[in-house]
Amino acid sequence: MQSTDQQFQFERFSVQKLSYFVVDMNQAIHFLSRHKHSILYGVSLAGLLFVLKWLELKYLIFNNGIEIYIGSIALLFTALGIWLAIRLMKPKIKTVLVEKEVYISNTPFIRNEKELTRLGISKRELDVLQLMAKGLSNGEIAEQLYVSLNTVKTHSSNLFVKLDAKRRTQAIEKAKQLGIVA
Amino acid sequence: MQSTDQQFQFERFSVQKLSYFVVDMNQAIHFLSRHKHSILYGVSLAGLLFVLKWLELKYLIFNNGIEIYIGSIALLFTALGIWLAIRLMKPKIKTVLVEKEVYISNTPFIRNEKELTRLGISKRELDVLQLMAKGLSNGEIAEQLYVSLNTVKTHSSNLFVKLDAKRRTQAIEKAKQLGIVA
DNA sequence: ATCGTCTTCATCCTTTCGGGTGAATTTCAT
DNA sequence: ATGAAATTCACCCGAAAGGATGAAGACGAT
């Protein structure tokens, strides 16, 4: 199920096969640059010069004229430049959100700490939220926690904002959905 | 995590760097032919050759030896190639898949009809209860059911009596406990 | 036809909830 | 130590919820 989703995801972006390839290219660059890949360039240049020298000795170069010779060099190194640039170019990053289904087992309740921290819900707010989920009124919660009614109201108000809820019933519903309360 | 997978994926194919390079070249060439930028390149090459000819005529070229001359050309055209590639390459896109967790309970809800009849909850009251459990306000429930706010308040009041609840949050809590609502 | 339940709606009144704002104190990490 | 976040509490005000009661139409069972 999970893998299928990802599969679809990828297939949807199959038009961008090239970009995946590009990612790979970037990867390769990293490897090269890390491992003295400039040597490659130097070696190729040196090698070319060596070949040229050999050709010069053979009196083959100037038979066709200096222009053609220079032109070849130019073409070759242009290609080299393009090749290098392709390798060295940094890719733009595109972020795709994929929804992953997480099935919650109902018997043992395990608090979802991730969601808690993500939503920025504090300890005290969680206390209020738990009692709220039990069906207690703000006054009863205040009694339970030994704080004033106003304090509970402040906490609950903050909770509604953090849980993006309009009412306490909605807040409880969301909290249960997210595994914040039992 | 996802990107890591891709990383591995591509490193496996790093042996085929050359073929990728060829593909990329084709890409670049394609781009050139399409966007008439090739003219720019041709002109620049021709211009360079012209300058070279001029230099040759001035007997400046061979004073420093053919190797340095060739080297300069190589460097220059490498730079040109890089510049061209940067100008003409399609933007590289790195796709990063980010998983967002969506929580779903795997046990399908089965309504407890026995409790429903035992508590004497009517059909309409159940409607109200369900929407109430979703976190809707009385006003919103009234809209949903095409009845007046007063009607909803009556139903909810009756529900509180039948469910032995003081508040709507308590009623929801009990109803869920008894399997009356999801 | 009559009884009982369901559904609908109303009015009056009280309590609770929730928004907005401000502020004092504590806790905690930099 | 200093600034940010958390905790606490207060006051005001409007909106929503809830309690109590009455009542009218619909609908099925006796």
Side-chain angles (χ1 to χ4, degrees):
Chain A
M1 202 154 286
Q2 177 54 34
S3 56
T4 318
D5 286 343
Q6 278 186 224
Q7 216 171 306
F8 278 128
Q9 198 65 31
F10 279 117
E11 279 181 1
R12 229 193 287 157
F13 290 97
S14 60
V15 221
Q16 305 181 348
K17 268 175 213 156
L18 186 69
S19 45
Y20 286 124
F21 155 59
V22 161
V23 172
D24 172 41
M25 289 301 288
N26 197 42
Q27 213 58 41
I29 295 155
H30 221 70
F31 192 81
L32 280 169
S33 63
R34 278 262 180 85
H35 296 77
K36 317 152 194 172
H37 88 295
S38 53
I39 289 169
L40 188 71
Y41 179 72
V43 166
S44 67
L45 207 155
L48 187 96
L49 289 181
F50 186 79
V51 169
L52 289 178
K53 200 72 186 175
W54 179 73
L55 287 171
E56 188 182 3
L57 289 171
K58 285 275 186 176
Y59 298 101
L60 280 170
I61 318 162
F62 298 105
N63 290 348
N64 297 319
I66 185 73
E67 289 82 3
I68 290 171
Y69 171 61
I70 297 296
S72 323
I73 303 294
L75 273 172
L76 195 66
F77 274 87
T78 302
L80 179 64
I82 290 171
W83 176 74
L84 275 173
I86 287 168
R87 302 226 141 198
L88 294 172
M89 267 230 280
K90 287 181 179 174
K92 290 180 179 176
I93 293 173
K94 181 177 183 176
T95 306
V96 178
L97 270 178
V98 180
E99 291 197 341
K100 180 187 177 184
E101 293 180 347
V102 176
Y103 293 97
I104 292 184
S105 50
N106 33 2
T107 23
F109 172 72
I110 299 158
R111 173 151 297 110
N112 193 334
E113 303 287 347
K114 264 189 260 176
E115 287 294 331
L116 270 179
T117 50
R118 187 178 71 82
L119 297 171
I121 293 172
S122 66
K123 288 186 291 292
R124 213 53 171 160
E125 284 166 352
L126 179 60
D127 291 339
V128 172
L129 185 56
Q130 284 171 322
L131 296 177
M132 197 183 277
K134 278 196 198 171
L136 302 196
S137 69
N138 286 339
E140 290 168 342
I141 294 169
E143 278 182 42
Q144 285 274 318
L145 299 179
Y146 300 105
V147 293
S148 81
L149 172 61
N150 288 310
T151 303
V152 176
K153 286 172 80 174
T154 304
H155 287 319
S156 60
S157 280
N158 292 333
L159 279 169
F160 299 153
V161 174
K162 289 175 181 176
L163 286 166
D164 190 31
K166 292 195 186 82
R167 283 164 286 282
R168 62 180 27 228
T169 49
Q170 248 179 43
I172 294 164
E173 181 60 14
K174 284 211 177 188
K176 289 193 176 184
Q177 237 265 314
L178 295 172
I180 294 171
V181 294
Chain B
M1 40 199 81
Q2 181 53 40
S3 55
T4 317
D5 287 342
Q6 279 185 225
Q7 214 170 304
F8 282 123
Q9 191 74 21
F10 283 116
E11 275 184 4
R12 233 193 286 153
F13 290 98
S14 60
V15 222
Q16 305 180 347
K17 270 177 223 158
L18 189 66
S19 46
Y20 284 141
F21 158 60
V22 166
V23 171
D24 250 6
M25 284 303 289
N26 283 337
Q27 203 65 33
I29 289 160
H30 191 64
F31 212 85
L32 277 170
S33 61
R34 284 185 71 179
H35 288 77
K36 300 175 181 177
H37 278 87
S38 53
I39 293 166
L40 189 71
Y41 177 71
V43 167
S44 67
L45 206 154
L48 187 96
L49 288 181
F50 186 79
V51 169
L52 290 178
K53 200 70 186 175
W54 179 74
L55 286 172
E56 189 182 1
L57 287 172
K58 284 273 186 176
Y59 298 101
L60 281 170
I61 318 163
F62 298 104
N63 290 348
N64 298 319
I66 187 74
E67 288 82 4
I68 289 172
Y69 172 61
I70 297 297
S72 318
I73 303 294
L75 277 172
L76 195 66
F77 274 86
T78 304
L80 179 64
I82 289 170
W83 177 78
L84 273 175
I86 288 169
R87 281 304 292 267
L88 303 178
M89 267 288 289
K90 286 178 181 175
K92 298 183 176 187
I93 297 170
K94 181 179 182 178
T95 305
V96 179
L97 298 179
V98 179
E99 288 185 348
K100 182 184 185 259
E101 294 182 343
V102 177
Y103 303 98
I104 299 165
S105 96
N106 52 0
T107 47
F109 170 72
I110 300 159
R111 170 153 297 108
N112 193 337
E113 303 287 348
K114 284 172 196 169
E115 285 295 330
L116 220 48
T117 51
R118 187 179 67 84
L119 296 171
I121 292 173
S122 69
K123 182 193 166 293
R124 211 52 171 163
E125 284 165 352
L126 178 59
D127 290 340
V128 172
L129 184 56
Q130 284 172 324
L131 296 178
M132 197 183 278
K134 277 200 203 169
L136 301 196
S137 68
N138 286 340
E140 290 169 341
I141 294 169
E143 278 182 41
Q144 284 273 315
L145 299 179
Y146 301 104
V147 293
S148 80
L149 174 61
N150 289 311
T151 304
V152 176
K153 287 171 88 172
T154 304
H155 287 317
S156 61
S157 281
N158 292 334
L159 278 169
F160 299 152
V161 173
K162 290 175 181 176
L163 285 166
D164 190 30
K166 292 194 187 82
R167 280 163 288 280
R168 68 187 10 231
T169 49
Q170 246 179 45
I172 294 165
E173 181 62 13
K174 284 212 177 189
K176 287 194 177 185
Q177 209 82 51
L178 295 171
I180 294 171
V181 294

